[in-house]
Amino acid sequence: MELTIQLKSLADKINLLKDRIETEESTKHAFVLPFINMLGYDAFNPLEVVPEFTADIGLKKGEKVDYAIFQNGEPILIVECKTWKENLSVHSSQLFRYFHVTKTRFALLTNGIQYQFYTDLDEKNKMDQKPFLEFDIINLKENSITEIAKFHKSSFNVDHILNNASALKYAKEIKKEINDELENPSNEFVKLFANKVYAGRLTEKVMEEFKILVQKAFNQFINEKINDRLNAALNKETIKQQEEKIEPVEETSKVITSEEELEAYRVVLAILRRKVPVNRIIHRDTQSYFGILLDDNNRKPLCRLHLNGTKKYIGLFNENKIEIKHIIQSIDDIYQFENELLETIGLYEGE
């Protein structure tokens, strides 16, 4: 939760300052170093964060990567930074050269807004061409925050990250392919569905027609799924609001609480106080019944007492909060339902 708040705060800061940031150095200090600090590493401690880390490449000496993050004396992440205005896609080759001459398994290419994390899934000690984790800090998604947290100093574990890196990488690529197919369906994609629903020959004209149909059908399918989810959420919220509505206040003159009802309440209180504090067990009298609630909440009924008619009942609630009435001859009979009353408390645990 704390990391989420920090990342969103940094995103707000970037939005506010980016138009004033002109250089790579300014990008590093305003955007990248705060991100490194959020991961729990002290940017001012040379034992943890080494700026201008030397990564000699063959005959080329003095090659430097912007930052190397160390843990237990070993580099765990090298970081190459660009100004926030630059497109990262043209800079991965530089980081690629640095990767294989260090002991790290992870590399980060960033312009302070876009972040691309790389490893060596395809060939050991050789940085992959494509990142396994990529995100925009200004438009950060919840699943990305979960992955960022794995790089935090307090929880960093190489095997843990690598075990999930492959799934992340390929899931990202699959989502990109799905998006491409939805925007401009390929012949193979169109044939996959046309062959299932069309019995005739797939001529060029038919394929053109099906290309439009497939694209339209998928868009409609996605929209319908989204609408279904929204409607389900709205219906759930409506039901919740209806359940939370407080029952109308009865006119005082019409509601008379009898001594028998109060005595019955004290019996219920004696049973339930073994499981919850007495101040959480509240009674509310109405014209039709004497209700006993948990936390004075209509959504948490414990029982209802019907004592004003010729026959007396105690109403108990099942797991669906449906009242089931039981005849009682006297107030003392309430003790027969001790287990049921205690079990009712369990219905609301965790709410």
Side-chain angles (χ1 to χ4, degrees):
M1 180 62 73
E2 183 180 354
L3 180 61
T4 301
I5 294 170
Q6 290 176 334
L7 288 166
K8 289 181 178 177
S9 177
L10 179 57
D12 292 339
K13 176 183 176 183
I14 290 171
N15 272 324
L16 183 66
L17 297 179
K18 65 179 181 179
D19 292 331
R20 301 180 186 180
I21 302 295
E22 299 292 340
T23 66
E24 184 178 304
E25 282 303 311
S26 296
T27 300
K28 290 179 190 177
H29 286 91
F31 301 160
V32 180
L33 285 178
F35 178 80
I36 291 174
N37 280 326
M38 283 178 199
L39 295 180
Y41 303 99
D42 184 355
F44 300 101
N45 181 353
L47 298 179
E48 290 190 356
V49 181
V50 180
E52 297 297 312
F53 179 67
T54 301
D56 291 335
I57 304 169
L59 298 176
K60 293 187 70 175
K61 302 298 181 181
E63 288 283 310
K64 297 181 185 296
V65 66
D66 289 314
Y67 299 104
I69 297 177
F70 277 70
Q71 198 171 79
N72 300 322
E74 296 290 344
I76 59 171
L77 176 67
I78 57 174
V79 183
E80 182 65 17
C81 308
K82 300 300 171 187
T83 180
W84 73 270
K85 296 179 181 179
E86 290 195 53
N87 186 338
L88 294 182
S89 61
V90 298
H91 292 291
S92 60
S93 58
Q94 186 178 6
L95 193 58
F96 182 87
R97 295 199 308 272
Y98 300 149
F99 185 88
H100 79 278
V101 295
T102 64
K103 294 181 179 180
T104 182
R105 296 294 301 276
F106 304 105
L108 167 60
L109 178 62
T110 180
N111 61 10
I113 298 178
Q114 278 82 38
Y115 285 76
Q116 297 177 350
F117 283 82
Y118 294 82
T119 188
D120 55 352
L121 294 172
D122 298 333
E123 188 176 339
K124 195 170 182 179
N125 298 325
K126 186 176 180 181
M127 193 180 89
D128 297 336
Q129 294 290 336
K130 296 178 180 180
F132 69 90
L133 173 62
E134 188 172 6
F135 59 85
D136 182 323
I137 200 166
I138 294 176
N139 300 296
L140 205 52
K141 294 180 173 58
E142 195 64 37
N143 59 333
S144 295
I145 297 175
T146 301
E147 299 306 322
I148 294 169
K150 293 176 183 177
F151 282 91
H152 196 278
K153 180 182 177 181
S154 63
S155 57
F156 181 83
N157 182 290
V158 174
D159 293 332
H160 188 195
I161 298 172
L162 288 175
N163 288 341
N164 197 42
S166 180
L168 281 173
K169 177 182 176 181
Y170 294 119
K172 178 170 70 72
E173 292 300 313
I174 290 170
K175 285 190 285 186
K176 181 181 179 300
E177 291 298 324
I178 291 172
N179 184 68
D180 291 345
E181 291 289 1
L182 293 179
E183 289 186 355
N184 185 26
S186 65
N187 285 339
E188 292 78 8
F189 191 70
V190 174
K191 284 180 182 178
L192 176 65
F193 296 97
N195 281 325
K196 293 178 181 292
V197 298
Y198 183 71
R201 181 168 167 266
L202 296 178
T203 63
E204 185 176 344
K205 182 181 179 182
V206 172
M207 284 291 290
E208 284 298 319
E209 292 175 352
F210 265 95
K211 185 174 183 177
I212 297 171
L213 286 171
V214 167
Q215 189 176 30
K216 185 182 292 185
F218 263 91
N219 286 327
Q220 288 176 347
F221 176 79
I222 292 170
N223 288 334
E224 288 169 2
K225 281 291 182 184
I226 292 172
N227 286 332
D228 287 346
R229 293 285 295 273
L230 288 173
N231 288 333
L234 288 171
N235 289 337
K236 186 176 180 180
E237 184 63 25
T238 300
I239 292 171
K240 182 179 178 181
Q241 289 175 355
Q242 290 174 344
E243 288 178 343
E244 289 178 344
K245 282 182 180 178
I246 298 175
E247 293 179 359
V249 178
E250 304 277 357
E251 290 182 27
T252 305
S253 60
K254 293 184 179 180
V255 179
I256 300 174
T257 301
S258 67
E259 182 56 38
E260 185 179 36
E261 288 172 326
L262 291 175
E263 185 181 349
Y265 168 64
R266 288 190 284 269
V267 171
V268 174
L269 199 63
I271 293 171
L272 296 180
R273 69 184 304 167
R274 287 178 293 164
K275 197 162 185 179
V276 293
V278 292
N279 61 354
R280 294 184 63 192
I281 305 169
I282 307 298
H283 70 77
R284 190 180 296 173
D285 200 359
T286 72
Q287 279 186 276
S288 52
Y289 60 84
F290 183 93
I292 300 178
L293 310 170
L294 182 65
D295 300 327
D296 203 15
N297 188 336
N298 281 324
R299 295 180 61 217
K300 297 181 180 181
L302 297 172
C303 68
R304 287 175 179 171
L305 301 170
H306 305 265
L307 306 178
N308 296 328
T310 54
K311 290 186 177 181
K312 303 181 189 299
Y313 300 90
I314 180 172
L316 301 172
F317 292 86
N318 62 19
E319 63 274 11
N320 297 315
K321 298 182 183 178
I322 296 174
E323 182 186 8
I324 300 172
K325 293 180 179 179
H326 302 271
I327 293 178
I328 57 175
Q329 301 300 325
S330 69
I331 302 302
D332 290 337
D333 287 349
I334 294 174
Y335 284 107
Q336 298 175 15
F337 301 97
E338 177 178 343
N339 291 335
E340 289 87 343
L341 284 166
L342 291 171
E343 286 172 2
T344 304
I345 292 286
L347 296 177
Y348 310 119
E349 290 179 349
E351 288 191 7

